[in-house]
Amino acid sequence: MKTFIGIYLICGAIWNFMKPLLRYIFYLFLFWLLLFFVIRSAFLISIISAVKDVTATQFIFASIAGWLLDLSTIAYLIAIPLLFIFLYFIFRKKWIARCSDFLLSFYIFLYVLVAVGELCLYQEWPTKLNVQALMHFAHPAEVFQSATLGLTILFFSLVILFASFFLRLYNRRFSLLRSIPASETVSQKLRWIAAAFFIFMLALDVILIRGGLKEIPISESDAYYSGNRMLNEAAVNPLWSLGHNAKEFFSHQKVNPYLAIPEAVADSTMNGLFHIDSDSTPVFLSVPKPNIVF
């Protein structure tokens, strides 16, 4: 009986120690899901006139259909901050928390840029934001000169609106320094427990990144739920989509993936295949190169 009571007390102590950290990570996920939901709702409003043939249920469901891709995106975004979070939780140094908050703030601004950029791009070209579109920003002046004034104003207005709101919300309600006090000290034994839990959370983060334990990793098709292309694309997380497109582009599409032999050898081989020693085609015209019009 004393053994069970001892185990119960130890588990209770560990739970009380880890509870602030678990609560912070849980609220961090909720923050990102809220950010995704709000900007995706803005995207759906921007295309509402182009999807009149779908039901209201299908239209609304686009906000949550891509939840697996959203979780995968969050797992990517917190992979590095997760290390800072656990280091701060163990050592309680304010500069570690500030590093984590700065990195997450940068990710918030980056996501807003990508998501709002895709929203505006969709008004001109009904397509997801991709590397080919971003290449136009090698000449940014030309991009903004070719875009309409209304679209340019919309882009900057939404970026300022969403970025300022969510950065303020994060720093006031979800920042690491505000969520977990730096004044508390952690014993050596509890530090080892936190380190072991970090390894567990890292493994869980990898599982979320690939979309579960299934054999095939997550893909855009996991968010597809409708026969309407626009609704399916609205459900796909823009940052996940852009990252996947960049990976495919720089690994396969940037160069010819079928270039296996030198060009001179290929030309020699093809010339040999099409070489004709003598032309067997019968000539029945008196003009060598007649001008034939169909």
Side-chain angles (χ1 to χ4, degrees), residues 72 102 108 130 205 215 233 256 262 268 283 287:
S72 177
F102 173 79
I108 292 167
N130 51 48
D205 194 66
E215 185 177 351
E233 291 180 345
N256 181 7
S268 176
V283 178
V287 182

Side-chain angles (χ1 to χ4, degrees), residues 10-283:
I10 292 172
C11 291
I14 293 173
W15 168 251
N16 289 330
F17 169 64
M18 299 300 299
K19 185 164 63 173
L21 178 63
L22 294 172
R23 183 171 58 238
Y24 172 74
I25 294 174
F26 175 72
Y27 284 144
L28 190 60
F29 268 79
L30 287 183
F31 170 81
W32 279 107
L33 290 173
L34 174 65
L35 172 58
F36 296 162
F37 176 79
V38 170
I39 299 187
R40 183 175 286 127
S41 298
F43 181 87
L44 287 169
I45 293 172
S46 72
I47 63 169
I48 193 170
S49 60
V51 290
K52 293 180 179 179
D53 56 332
V54 301
T55 63
T57 304
Q58 279 189 312
F59 185 80
I60 295 171
F61 195 68
S63 298
I64 58 174
W67 67 276
L68 276 175
L69 281 179
D70 287 344
L71 290 180
S72 177
T73 305
I74 297 171
Y76 274 112
L77 291 171
I78 70 167
I80 298 176
L82 200 62
L83 175 60
F84 287 109
I85 291 168
F86 274 91
L87 287 175
Y88 170 72
F89 189 69
I90 292 172
F91 299 107
R92 302 300 170 99
K93 301 294 184 182
K94 289 185 178 180
W95 69 267
I96 301 176
R98 290 192 180 98
C99 287
S100 176
D101 289 335
F102 173 79
L103 193 57
L104 285 168
S105 297
F106 171 74
Y107 288 158
I108 292 167
F109 184 71
L110 175 65
Y111 182 83
V112 170
L113 274 180
V114 170
V116 173
E118 181 173 285
L119 184 154
C120 294
L121 176 70
Y122 218 87
Q123 311 310 306
E124 295 286 336
W125 310 332
T127 182
K128 300 285 287 181
L129 185 64
N130 51 48
V131 175
Q132 290 88 337
L134 289 178
M135 283 182 173
H136 291 286
F137 280 93
H139 307 284
E142 295 180 5
V143 173
F144 289 106
Q145 286 172 4
S146 60
T148 62
L149 178 62
L151 200 60
T152 303
I153 294 173
L154 178 67
F155 173 76
F156 284 107
S157 299
L158 290 181
V159 167
I160 293 171
L161 174 66
F162 288 133
S164 58
F165 175 77
F166 282 103
L167 285 172
R168 188 180 181 87
L169 178 64
Y170 174 79
N171 289 310
R172 288 203 166 192
R173 299 291 182 183
F174 296 92
S175 69
L176 181 58
L177 202 56
R178 286 180 175 270
S179 302
I180 302 175
S183 57
E184 298 180 6
T185 57
V186 180
S187 65
Q188 190 65 33
K189 289 182 180 179
L190 291 177
R191 287 179 180 180
W192 283 110
I193 292 171
F197 190 73
F198 168 71
I199 295 173
F200 169 76
M201 287 298 298
L202 200 59
L204 183 60
D205 194 66
V206 173
I207 292 172
L208 286 176
I209 284 174
R210 56 181 322 276
L213 295 173
K214 56 186 180 180
E215 185 177 351
I216 302 174
I218 196 170
S219 65
E220 288 97 334
S221 61
D222 287 278
Y224 292 172
Y225 72 98
S226 170
N228 187 286
R229 177 183 65 85
M230 289 188 175
L231 292 183
N232 287 333
E233 291 180 345
V236 176
N237 190 286
L239 189 58
W240 194 98
S241 173
L242 179 61
H244 181 70
N245 177 262
K247 175 180 174 294
E248 292 294 316
F249 178 82
F250 289 110
S251 59
H252 300 299
Q253 300 172 13
K254 192 174 182 181
V255 296
N256 181 7
Y258 305 104
L259 189 63
I261 59 176
E263 189 174 351
V265 177
D267 291 340
S268 176
T269 303
M270 292 303 296
N271 291 334
L273 291 173
F274 289 99
H275 177 72
I276 300 175
D277 293 326
S278 60
D279 190 358
S280 58
T281 304
V283 178

